[in-house]
């Protein structure tokens, strides 16, 4: 994504997490700090823009709830905006915390945006070095928002500004204290916007520089991305919105293709979550609109 688009995407994502933390029950992923990184005006502006945009998402819902803007907002966030970011964050952090229990000392967040992991887990201050990688403009925005929220950047949180999708510089990481040791990477909400070749090159570059036992959690879309409509056309809407924003979705994979790509970088799939499995794990027995997004899968892969 371009720098300004990255900043906007980070803001919208933080809005979705903040909304879920404040209004949804039960919680899939409780980012109780996200609301502190968004001003009240921004929250209100995003909310109003989404409500005004309901005819694009679903004309029937627009008609049915025309006098209930709060229900329209709930529908948009729970159907379209939040399912994937919430569940993939919950899954990624579950894997990460298990790795920490097994002795992990180093975590790299690729495309960190307004991530708040460091501030939600102060108990890891002396045991886990955290490296956030993102565009310089996005990171400056985040630093300003942390300052506005009176959140002090701790010594184990390191900002590494770069466009890693085009050129991943380990020198930039090393300059911030990155060490050649077992590392956990998260790559969430990124693979769709890269070509298959760019995804393969990024994974290969990441794992050529770290030892055996290092691992990654990422999400990807299966081969139905450009064919599946999804509940209330939400998959089709997602693809159309990406294209309209000037940052089209470029890749989807069969499970065989994902496995083959990882194998070439000496990685093995340790765990694979299909949409059905994701729904069972994170969305079962809910009484609201939240369900696992069609076509989206999660992978935890480990270097041999």
């Amino acid at each position: 994504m371009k720098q300004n688009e990255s900043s906007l995407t980070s803001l919208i994502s933080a809005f979705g997490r903040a909304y879920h933390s404040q209004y949804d029950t039960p919680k899939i992923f409780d980012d109780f700090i996200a609301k502190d990184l968004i001003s009240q005006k921004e929250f209100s502006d995003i909310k109003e823009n989404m409500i005004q945009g309901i005819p694009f998402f679903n004309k029937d819902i627009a008609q049915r709830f025309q006098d209930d803007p709060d229900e329209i907002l709930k529908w948009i966030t729970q159907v379209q905006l939040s399912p994937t970011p919430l569940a993939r964050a919950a899954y990624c952090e579950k894997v990460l915390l298990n790795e920490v229990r097994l002795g992990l000392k180093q975590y790299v967040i690729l495309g960190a945006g307004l991530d708040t992991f460091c501030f939600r887990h102060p108990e890891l201050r002396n045991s886990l070095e955290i490296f956030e990688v993102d565009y310089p403009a996005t990171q400056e925005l985040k630093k300003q928002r942390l300052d506005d929220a009176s959140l002090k950047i701790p010594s184990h949180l390191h900002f590494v500004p770069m466009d890693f999708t085009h050129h991943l510089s380990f020198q930039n990481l090393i300059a911030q204290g990155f060490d050649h040791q077992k590392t956990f990477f998260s790559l969430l909400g990124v693979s769709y916007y890269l070509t298959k070749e760019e995804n393969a090159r990024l994974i290969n570059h990441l794992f050529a520089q770290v030892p055996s036992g290092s691992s990654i959690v990422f999400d990807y879309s299966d081969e139905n991305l450009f064919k599946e409509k999804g509940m209330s056309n939400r998959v089709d809407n997602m693809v159309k919105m990406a294209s309209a924003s000037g940052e089209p979705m470029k890749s989807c994979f069969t499970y065989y293709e994902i496995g083959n790509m990882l194998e070439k970088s000496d990685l093995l799939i340790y765990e694979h979550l299909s949409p059905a499995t994701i729904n069972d794990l994170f969305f079962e027995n809910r009484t609201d609109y939240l369900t696992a997004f069609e076509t989206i899968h999660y992978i935890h892969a480990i270097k041999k």
Side-chain angles (χ1 to χ4, degrees):
M1 293 188 181
K2 301 179 182 67
Q3 292 200 24
N4 59 337
E5 289 170 351
S6 175
S7 299
L8 180 59
T9 302
S10 300
L11 192 58
I12 299 297
S13 179
F15 171 88
R17 300 195 307 274
Y19 180 94
H20 182 68
S21 179
Q22 293 177 80
Y23 300 111
D24 296 344
T25 303
K27 303 284 184 282
I28 294 167
F29 175 75
D30 189 7
D31 188 347
F32 53 89
I33 290 178
K35 69 181 188 304
D36 298 329
L37 302 185
I38 307 172
S39 72
Q40 287 187 325
K41 183 180 186 306
E42 285 170 332
F43 194 94
S44 179
D45 287 349
I46 293 170
K47 172 182 170 180
E48 288 307 312
N49 283 335
M50 287 189 176
I51 292 169
Q52 294 300 318
I54 187 60
F56 167 79
F57 295 107
N58 192 295
K59 289 183 172 62
D60 291 339
I61 293 295
Q63 181 68 31
R64 188 188 314 169
F65 298 124
Q66 59 181 322
D67 298 321
D68 191 350
D70 288 341
E71 192 66 20
I72 287 176
L73 182 64
K74 178 181 177 181
W75 189 93
I76 292 175
T77 57
Q78 292 187 346
V79 172
Q80 190 78 46
L81 178 65
S82 295
T84 296
L86 292 174
R88 74 187 175 203
Y91 174 65
C92 182
E93 291 195 9
K94 175 186 172 186
V95 174
L96 168 62
L97 292 172
N98 186 58
E99 291 289 317
V100 169
R101 284 191 287 273
L102 295 174
L104 180 81
K105 303 292 184 188
Q106 195 162 256
Y107 174 33
V108 177
I109 311 172
L110 296 157
L114 296 175
D115 185 274
T116 64
F117 175 81
C118 175
F119 299 95
R120 287 180 287 106
H121 290 277
E123 75 279 7
L124 301 177
R125 179 185 298 265
N126 298 316
S127 57
L128 184 69
E129 298 297 315
I130 302 170
F131 300 85
E132 294 194 2
V133 181
D134 215 326
Y135 288 107
T138 302
Q139 295 198 329
E140 289 308 310
L141 172 80
K142 179 172 185 177
K143 288 177 184 177
Q144 183 59 56
R145 288 171 186 275
L146 290 172
D147 188 55
D148 292 344
S150 300
L151 289 168
K152 187 173 183 294
I153 299 171
S155 60
H156 70 305
L157 175 60
H158 313 279
F159 288 95
V160 188
M162 73 170 96
D163 178 1
F164 64 90
T165 62
H166 288 99
H167 178 65
L168 178 71
S169 170
F170 266 88
Q171 283 308 119
N172 291 15
L173 277 161
I174 291 166
Q176 293 297 326
F178 182 87
D179 196 12
H180 182 76
Q181 61 175 301
K182 180 180 171 183
T183 304
F184 179 82
F185 298 96
S186 65
L187 181 71
L188 305 179
V190 174
S191 70
Y192 326 101
Y193 301 100
L194 306 180
T195 64
K196 289 181 179 180
E197 293 74 21
E198 287 169 338
N199 274 296
R201 188 162 58 244
L202 175 59
I203 295 289
N204 191 59
H205 196 169
L206 283 176
F207 283 90
Q209 308 289 333
V210 293
S212 174
S214 296
S215 68
I216 186 169
V217 164
F218 67 96
D219 55 332
Y220 76 95
S221 183
D222 64 32
E223 65 274 22
N224 296 312
L225 175 63
F226 300 110
K227 297 179 287 186
E228 172 81 47
K229 294 294 184 183
M231 182 178 78
S232 299
N233 287 327
R234 62 181 175 179
V235 177
D236 192 40
N237 288 340
M238 175 179 69
V239 172
K240 286 178 178 175
M241 284 189 294
S243 181
S245 74
E247 197 67 26
M249 293 185 158
K250 298 177 181 176
S251 67
C252 52
F253 297 83
T254 65
Y255 181 74
Y256 172 80
E257 286 175 319
I258 281 287
N260 192 42
M261 179 185 77
L262 295 170
E263 175 67 30
K264 288 179 178 176
S265 296
D266 282 334
L267 278 85
L268 290 172
I269 295 175
Y270 180 79
E271 189 172 36
H272 163 251
L273 301 188
S274 68
T277 307
I278 293 165
N279 203 70
D280 289 345
L281 284 173
F282 298 106
F283 298 94
E284 198 169 39
N285 298 324
R286 296 194 70 91
T287 58
D288 52 19
Y289 302 115
L290 281 162
T291 58
F293 220 86
E294 301 86 352
T295 83
I296 307 298
H297 302 238
Y298 309 157
I299 290 273
H300 179 209
I302 301 178
K303 185 174 181 179
K304 299 176 191 175

